[in-house]
């Protein structure tokens, strides 16, 4: 947002260095991001002087050129060749001398150089209006009053206005500072408290407002009072649409608003003066001389001022005529058919207060970030609609020769009251960190036009002006006090107080960092998906009902409308994204949260997810056989990760969930630790994934619970050798290796260190129907002595008996 210093001075006498004013603006919470010096005319007529034409003779070689000598107040007159038809001796003119850069009304700036024109020396240029940005005429050179002294600087004669413009980083909570008057009020409050400033704001004079004749009455009907709490309007007749006066154009140009015509410029001027958006309709194009404020059906077509046809949403508030035809997207953008043109003679002027959330929703959905929408979505002041109308009507009366032709229409069924906040002096001092006297608190609040009523010696009731719609709590009110008191007046403490906090080890951060280090060092990449997803991605196979989804009114991106209900979706979105960039071999992990709605409120859970797809390793000339990731790949990483964080005991069961094709689940009692397996191909296909995806989803709440009391244990590496024995166990096909492990543990041997599977063999011819053979590796080791074959053989024989008894196994020789 841009603020003009000259504009501020129109309301508030400020005899202060512009840089100092910028510092004060920053101190009151209006962060000045930059300050520029600007001129009311491009280039400020720098280098141009007033000259007197001493002689003017016809060019010997060109009929349309004159050779002149011009006195510019220097020691010697200048010889200038001029082609203007009105050039004559004795004239007082504007001269651009050698080396001067001039800024034309249209086109790029250029530098005047000494040279020859048709053989005659020319040491400058005698200027026309459009050549130096003073107007659009190119009929001839500018001829001035002959009393002006030669050598006078052009910028002094034309009284070029120099202004300073501040670029303000306006935060969303500063709805009171969206205008020059709002900033002036804040500035005055600060100066009163900190600089004993005694002047008052010189508000625009509205006493001359008067309805001349009610010749163009209008009716207004507001059908959606929720989104339009107040709607005011007036008609102005017999206007002349033309160029605005220079002072209005100077004000608008200074803040980067392009002047268009007097009607449009005056509405823009009021917007930046009061912070009240106005809209001017061509009254002769409004059917039935009636305004209806309501929503139109979803999908209704509407052509805006930029000549684009837009499809309206059901939530878009519209300004319509008496036949319910759309005239304007309320508070956002005007319509093509009802706008003011050079032929307009009568206007209906709108000044309204719209719901901030409604305007933001509409402006973002249509990508129309207009100045009016930016003001409304912060929260406009409902109390100034009439003031703004009167100000605009008086300006149109003066500069468009219009006649005020109706009474002010004001549809305001339920007046918006000032917020009342109870303020405690002790809270002011504790929150700010410095003791402020009660009287100073009163003075600060009064300087901001707040009404005060004492409650007792410790507190008071404050009525907040309606232009501060974001001041809702006591803390907000204290922030207002601090802004005007001055942030820089709060001393920096010389001591630091801190309390020692203690967390049991391992903390959540320790566990997550240990997991991240482990996965990242083993080729996984961390991903960070959005907590918001598209509702269409919540597939039927996920078994999540619509009632469980947490819907969000996301005006920034209407497609991302649901909080993530489970981890698989956002991970698959990342897989799709990588596949679209030809990354097929992927290993990803993510820490995140899921969100669901229940009868009693909402459930928010933490999770860790792993995703594998493609080959197990990257291509390499030494790797002839590079298999794809499968169930055992994801199981390997799941087991290793649990082992890394110290979770060793758990129950195992098969998955039966629709989102999985097959897989396993580890639990401890009723608590699930992890589910892993192959993603259901139907789910993958619905997400447009054309290869198998393996996934593991860890419940981080349970992970943290089960690792809370784990302690890191280390032991010395044995200096005594281990011994290996292999067994070939013939088993029924339905016996899993997990059964072999459980049976081996029943031996309760201190020597048996490892039982692992290194081959599976199936053959009806050699083993029989329904049989398979497990090749099992057994590792024995005594940590204190060297093992003997006799001891190991005894352990193996006992194991064989257990396998034969428990699993009906036979030993294959």
């Amino acid at each position: 947002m841009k603020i003009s210093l000259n504009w501020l001075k129109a309301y508030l006498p400020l005899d202060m260095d512009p840089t100092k004013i910028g510092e004060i603006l920053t101190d009151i919470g209006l962060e000045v991001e930059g300050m520029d010096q600007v001129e009311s005319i491009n280039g400020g007529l720098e280098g141009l002087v007033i000259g007197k034409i001493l002689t003017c003779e016809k060019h010997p070689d060109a009929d349309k050129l004159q050779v002149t000598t011009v006195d510019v107040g220097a020691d010697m007159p200048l010889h200038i060749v001029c082609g203007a038809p009105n050039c004559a001796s004795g004239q007082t003119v504007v001269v651009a001398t050698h080396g001067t850069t001039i800024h034309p009304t249209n086109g790029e700036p250029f530098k005047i150089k000494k040279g020859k024109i048709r053989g005659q020396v020319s040491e400058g240029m005698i200027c026309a209006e459009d050549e130096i940005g003073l107007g659009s005429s190119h009929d001839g050179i500018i001829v001035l009053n002959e009393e002006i002294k030669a050598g006078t600087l052009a910028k002094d004669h034309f009284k070029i206005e120099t202004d300073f413009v501040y670029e303000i980083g306006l935060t969303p909570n500063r709805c009171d500072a969206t205008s020059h008057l709002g900033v002036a009020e804040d500035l005055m409050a600060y100066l009163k408290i900190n600089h004993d400033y005694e002047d008052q704001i010189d508000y625009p004079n509205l006493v001359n407002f008067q309805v001349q004749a009610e010749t163009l009455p209008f009716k207004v009907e507001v059908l959606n009072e929720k989104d339009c709490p107040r709607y005011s309007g007036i008609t102005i007749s017999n206007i002349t649409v033309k160029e605005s006066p220079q002072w209005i154009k100077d004000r608008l140009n200074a803040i980067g608003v392009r002047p268009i015509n007097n009607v449009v410029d005056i509405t823009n001027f009021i917007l930046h003066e009061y912070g009240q958006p106005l809209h001017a309709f061509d009254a002769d194009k409004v059917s039935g001389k009636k305004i209806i404020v309501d929503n139109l059906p979803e999908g209704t077509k509407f052509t805006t001022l930029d000549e684009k046809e837009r499809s309206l949403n059901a939530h878009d508030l519209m300004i319509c005529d008496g036949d319910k035809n759309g005239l304007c997207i309320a508070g956002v953008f005007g319509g093509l058919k009802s706008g003011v043109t050079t032929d307009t003679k009568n206007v209906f002027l709108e000044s309204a207060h719209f719901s901030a959330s409604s305007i933001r929703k509409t402006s973002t959905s249509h990508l129309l970030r207009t100045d009016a929408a930016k003001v409304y979505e912060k929260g406009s002041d409902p109390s100034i609609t009439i003031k703004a109308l009167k100000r605009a009507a008086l300006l149109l009366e003066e500069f468009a020769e219009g006649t005020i032709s109706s009474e002010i229409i004001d549809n305001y069924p339920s007046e918006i009251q000032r917020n009342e906040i109870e303020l405690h002096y002790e809270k002011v001092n504790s929150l700010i960190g410095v003791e402020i006297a009660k009287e100073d608190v009163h003075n600060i609040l009064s300087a901001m036009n707040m009404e005060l009523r004492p409650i007792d010696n410790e507190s008071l009731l404050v009525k907040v002006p309606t232009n501060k719609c974001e001041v809702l709590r006591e803390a907000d009110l204290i922030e207002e006090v601090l802004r005007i008191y001055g942030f820089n007046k709060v001393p920096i403490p010389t001591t630091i107080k801190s309390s020692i906090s203690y967390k049991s080890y391992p903390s959540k951060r320790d566990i997550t960092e240990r997991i991240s280090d482990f996965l990242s060092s083993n080729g996984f990449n961390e991903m960070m998906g959005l907590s918001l997803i598209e509702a269409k991605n919540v597939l039927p196979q996920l078994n999540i009902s619509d009632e469980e989804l947490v819907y969000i009114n996301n005006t920034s991106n209407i497609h991302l409308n649901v909080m993530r209900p489970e981890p698989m979706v956002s991970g698959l979105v990342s897989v799709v994204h990588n596949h679209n960039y030809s990354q097929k071999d992927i290993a990803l992990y993510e820490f995140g949260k899921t969100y669901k709605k229940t009868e009693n409120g909402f459930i928010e859970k933490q999770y860790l997810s792993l995703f594998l797809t493609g080959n197990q390793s990257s291509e390499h000339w030494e790797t002839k056989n590079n298999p794809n990731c499968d169930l055992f790949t994801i199981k390997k990483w799941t087991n290793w990760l649990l082992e890394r964080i110290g979770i060793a005991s758990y129950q195992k069961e098969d998955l039966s969930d629709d989102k999985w094709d097959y897989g396993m689940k580890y639990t401890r009692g009723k608590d699930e630790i992890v589910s892993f397996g192959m993603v259901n191909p139907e789910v993958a296909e619905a997400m447009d994934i054309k290869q198998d995806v393996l996934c593991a989803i860890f419940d981080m709440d349970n992970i943290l619970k089960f690792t809370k009391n784990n302690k890191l244990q280390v032991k010395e590496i044995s200096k005594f050798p281990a011994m290996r024995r292999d067994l070939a166990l013939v088993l029924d096909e339905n016996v899993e290796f997990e059964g072999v492990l459980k049976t081996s543990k029943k031996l309760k041997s201190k020597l048996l260190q490892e039982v692992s599977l290194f081959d599976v063999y199936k053959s009806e011819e050699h083993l029989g129907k329904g049989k398979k053979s497990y090749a099992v590796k057994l590792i024995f080791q005594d940590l204190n002595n060297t093992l003997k074959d006799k001891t190991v053989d005894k352990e193996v024989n006992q194991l064989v008996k257990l396998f034969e008894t428990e699993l009906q196994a036979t030993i294959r020789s």
Side-chain angles (χ1 to χ4, degrees):
M1 175 181 167
K2 292 183 178 181
I3 293 293
S4 158
L5 179 56
N6 286 347
W7 206 335
L8 288 178
K9 287 180 177 180
Y11 315 119
L12 200 62
L14 293 169
D15 185 18
M16 195 177 290
D17 181 71
T19 303
K20 178 62 178 176
I21 293 174
E23 292 172 357
I24 293 174
L25 291 175
T26 297
D27 203 28
I28 59 177
L30 299 173
E31 186 70 35
V32 175
E33 298 174 344
M35 183 180 77
D36 295 316
Q37 181 176 333
V38 298
E39 312 288 347
S40 57
I41 293 175
N42 284 340
L45 304 185
E46 196 67 39
L48 298 176
V49 296
I50 306 300
K52 301 276 188 181
I53 299 179
L54 303 177
T55 63
C56 181
E57 299 175 356
K58 187 177 179 181
H59 194 291
D61 298 325
D63 291 340
K64 295 184 179 181
L65 297 179
Q66 291 84 34
V67 180
T68 69
T69 54
V70 184
D71 177 13
V72 293
D75 294 338
M76 296 292 292
L78 299 179
H79 295 278
I80 298 176
V81 177
C82 179
N86 63 331
C87 181
S89 299
Q91 290 176 330
T92 302
V93 293
V94 179
V95 179
T97 58
H98 170 69
T100 299
T101 298
I102 61 175
H103 299 259
T105 302
N106 299 304
E108 297 297 319
F110 60 92
K111 184 179 285 189
I112 300 300
K113 297 179 181 179
K114 181 179 178 179
K116 284 187 177 183
I117 300 177
R118 295 290 185 94
Q120 297 292 319
V121 174
S122 185
E123 301 175 296
M125 184 173 83
I126 304 173
C127 304
E129 277 186 11
D130 66 330
E131 291 170 333
I132 57 175
L134 282 177
S136 57
S137 173
H138 195 69
D139 294 336
I141 57 174
I142 302 169
V143 179
L144 302 173
N145 191 311
E146 61 182 14
E147 296 177 359
I148 304 171
K149 185 180 178 181
T152 302
L153 295 178
K155 67 178 182 180
D156 293 340
H157 171 71
F158 288 104
K159 296 181 174 57
I160 301 304
E161 186 180 74
T162 299
D163 196 0
F164 290 88
V165 176
Y166 304 100
E167 185 72 41
I168 303 294
L170 197 62
T171 52
N173 66 323
R174 293 306 309 275
C175 52
D176 59 324
T178 56
S179 66
H180 282 78
L181 275 172
V183 172
E185 288 172 346
D186 244 17
L187 199 55
M188 184 195 69
Y190 181 91
L191 294 174
K192 274 188 174 181
I193 299 302
N194 296 282
H195 293 272
D196 298 324
Y197 190 78
E198 296 181 354
D199 285 310
Q200 298 295 324
I201 289 181
D202 183 15
Y203 289 98
N205 190 347
L206 307 177
V207 296
N208 293 327
F209 174 84
Q210 186 178 353
V211 179
Q212 282 95 344
E214 294 186 52
T215 56
L216 188 57
F218 255 63
K219 292 182 180 179
V220 170
E221 184 179 6
V222 179
L223 299 179
N224 185 347
E225 293 179 353
K226 176 177 175 290
D227 290 340
C228 180
R230 187 174 193 180
Y231 191 94
S232 309
I234 196 171
T235 62
I236 315 292
S237 299
N238 302 318
I239 64 168
T240 302
V241 179
K242 58 183 180 179
E243 192 175 356
S244 296
Q246 190 62 44
W247 68 272
I248 288 183
K249 292 195 292 183
D250 289 345
R251 292 283 184 267
L252 295 178
N253 277 321
I255 60 172
V257 177
R258 182 175 63 88
I260 298 174
N261 60 54
N262 52 354
V263 178
V264 175
D265 293 349
I266 285 170
T267 61
N268 284 331
F269 179 83
I270 300 299
L271 168 63
H272 293 280
E273 180 177 54
Y274 277 96
Q276 173 60 52
L278 302 179
H279 190 80
F281 299 93
D282 188 324
D284 297 323
K285 297 176 182 177
V286 179
S287 176
K289 298 295 182 282
K290 182 178 181 181
I291 294 292
I292 298 175
V293 184
D294 198 9
N295 302 77
L296 294 178
E298 178 88 23
T300 300
K301 301 300 181 183
F302 179 69
T303 304
T304 46
L305 277 171
D306 56 1
E307 300 184 1
K308 290 184 179 179
E309 186 179 75
R310 302 177 189 273
S311 182
L312 298 178
N313 303 305
H315 59 74
D316 294 337
L317 187 67
M318 294 294 294
I319 309 301
C320 307
D321 62 17
D323 296 330
K324 213 66 183 300
N325 298 311
L327 301 174
C328 170
I329 302 177
V332 179
F333 210 35
L336 182 64
K337 295 180 180 179
S338 62
V340 173
T341 67
T342 53
D343 298 325
T344 298
K345 294 300 178 185
N346 306 303
V347 296
F348 174 79
L349 206 57
E350 165 195 286
S351 179
H353 172 67
F354 298 117
S355 160
S357 58
S358 169
I359 297 301
R360 175 159 179 79
K361 194 173 182 180
T362 295
S363 69
T364 52
S365 63
H366 291 290
L367 300 178
L368 290 169
R369 309 294 294 140
T370 59
D371 287 344
K374 290 175 185 177
V375 170
Y376 276 128
E377 67 187 28
K378 283 184 172 64
S380 65
D381 184 358
S383 70
I384 63 169
T385 60
I386 301 298
K387 291 179 184 178
L389 269 186
K390 288 182 177 180
R391 172 72 159 152
L394 288 170
L395 290 174
L396 287 170
E397 190 177 34
E398 182 178 357
F399 299 113
E401 292 87 42
T403 302
I404 301 174
S405 52
S406 77
E407 293 288 349
I408 290 178
I409 305 159
D410 189 24
N411 190 303
Y412 198 15
S414 180
E415 185 177 349
I416 297 173
Q417 302 296 325
R418 289 183 168 207
N419 289 324
E420 294 187 352
I421 302 173
E422 190 173 329
L423 183 68
H424 300 83
Y425 301 115
E426 184 181 352
K427 185 71 172 178
V428 173
N429 297 332
S430 64
L431 206 57
I432 293 178
V434 65
E435 188 168 341
I436 302 176
K438 294 180 183 179
E439 184 180 356
D440 291 339
V441 173
H442 297 167
N443 291 337
I444 290 171
L445 295 173
S446 297
M448 290 189 287
N449 300 318
M450 298 190 185
E451 296 179 13
L452 312 179
R453 182 167 63 82
I455 298 176
D456 51 39
N457 289 332
E458 303 301 324
S459 61
L460 74 160
L461 190 69
V462 181
K463 282 191 174 183
V464 181
T466 51
N467 70 330
K468 295 180 181 291
C469 60
E470 294 289 339
V471 180
L472 304 172
R473 308 167 300 159
E474 185 178 23
D476 301 329
L477 198 55
I478 294 171
E479 182 183 351
E480 293 294 291
V481 172
L482 176 57
R483 285 195 309 103
I484 304 304
Y485 175 77
F487 291 101
N488 292 332
K489 288 167 68 175
V490 178
I492 299 174
T494 56
T495 58
I496 298 177
K497 296 179 181 179
S498 177
S499 59
I500 299 175
S501 60
Y502 171 80
K503 288 184 179 179
S504 58
Y505 181 84
S507 66
K508 175 186 174 182
R509 182 176 177 180
D510 296 325
I511 296 299
T512 54
E513 285 191 354
R514 194 186 302 175
I515 292 172
S516 294
D517 290 344
F518 171 74
L519 292 172
S520 296
S521 62
N522 281 284
F524 282 79
N525 292 299
E526 184 173 6
M527 61 179 175
M528 285 180 278
L530 292 174
S531 295
L532 291 169
I533 64 170
E534 297 184 60
K536 69 176 185 180
N537 288 334
V538 183
L539 305 172
Q541 292 87 346
L542 301 179
N543 294 322
I544 299 171
S545 67
D546 193 66
E547 290 74 22
E548 293 179 277
L549 297 179
V550 182
Y551 282 93
I552 296 295
N553 181 18
N554 184 6
T555 55
S556 298
N557 188 333
I558 59 175
H559 302 292
L560 301 175
N561 58 345
V562 170
M563 297 293 285
R564 175 174 50 202
E566 66 88 54
M568 184 178 286
V569 174
S570 62
L572 293 177
V573 169
S574 295
V575 171
V576 171
H577 180 77
N578 279 276
H579 281 187
N580 290 340
Y581 284 87
S582 301
Q583 299 297 315
K584 303 297 184 182
D585 304 330
I586 304 167
L588 302 172
Y589 72 95
E590 178 185 36
F591 292 99
K593 292 182 179 181
T594 59
Y595 311 86
K596 284 186 180 180
K597 187 166 60 174
T598 66
E599 293 181 357
N600 301 321
F602 299 90
I603 295 177
E604 185 176 314
K605 297 190 70 175
Q606 304 176 84
Y607 71 85
L608 162 69
S609 60
L610 312 184
F611 289 87
L612 293 172
T613 182
N615 293 330
Q616 292 186 20
S617 59
S618 58
E619 292 181 320
H620 192 270
W621 65 272
E622 285 186 317
T623 308
K624 295 181 180 179
N625 182 21
N626 190 7
N628 288 334
C629 296
D630 56 20
L631 175 66
F632 298 103
T633 313
I634 194 71
K635 181 181 180 181
K636 171 184 70 176
W637 290 112
T638 300
N639 291 345
W640 283 359
L641 193 151
L642 291 176
E643 182 181 335
R644 181 68 184 85
I645 58 178
I647 297 179
S649 59
Y650 37 77
Q651 294 80 47
K652 303 175 183 178
E653 58 183 274
D654 291 336
L655 284 174
S656 57
D657 199 323
D658 287 346
K659 65 185 176 186
W660 304 98
D661 191 29
Y662 51 82
M664 298 184 69
K665 177 167 66 175
Y666 293 169
T667 61
R668 188 178 284 184
K670 294 182 179 180
D671 296 324
E672 181 177 320
I673 299 173
V674 61
S675 296
F676 63 90
M678 176 80 74
V679 175
N680 188 333
E682 292 181 4
V683 174
E685 186 177 346
M687 297 290 290
D688 200 27
I689 299 174
K690 297 179 174 59
Q691 62 188 55
D692 293 341
V693 180
L694 285 304
C695 174
I697 299 173
F698 296 79
D699 188 318
M700 281 301 294
D701 294 317
N702 289 332
I703 291 285
L704 296 171
K705 181 170 72 173
F706 296 144
T707 56
K708 186 175 181 180
N709 298 318
N710 284 355
K711 293 183 179 179
L712 186 64
Q713 295 181 341
V714 295
K715 60 183 180 180
E716 183 182 0
I717 298 175
S718 176
K719 58 185 177 182
F720 300 102
M723 296 186 69
R724 170 174 172 165
R725 294 287 189 269
D726 293 341
L727 290 178
L729 301 176
V730 178
L731 301 159
D732 289 339
E733 267 189 336
N734 60 353
V735 177
E736 297 180 353
F737 182 67
E738 183 67 22
V740 176
L741 284 176
K742 288 181 178 178
T743 302
S744 64
K745 289 179 180 178
K746 292 182 179 180
L747 184 63
K748 296 181 181 179
S749 171
K750 294 181 179 179
L751 303 180
L752 182 60
Q753 304 296 322
E754 180 186 337
V755 179
S756 59
L757 178 68
F758 65 89
D759 190 29
V760 178
Y761 175 68
K762 292 182 181 181
S763 171
E764 277 194 32
E765 181 182 350
H766 297 105
L767 301 177
K769 187 175 182 181
K771 296 291 183 178
K772 63 182 176 182
S773 175
Y774 278 165
V776 179
K777 177 179 71 174
L778 307 173
I779 300 296
F780 296 89
Q781 188 175 36
D782 191 334
L783 302 179
N784 301 309
N785 297 291
T786 301
L787 282 174
K788 296 181 179 179
D789 285 335
K790 186 187 295 184
T791 304
V792 173
D793 290 341
K794 183 179 178 181
E795 295 274 327
V796 171
N797 291 333
Q798 290 176 345
L799 265 179
V800 169
K801 289 180 181 180
L802 274 174
F803 292 145
E804 291 173 343
T805 304
E806 298 287 333
L807 304 176
Q808 288 75 51
T810 57
I811 305 303
R812 182 165 162 253
S813 57

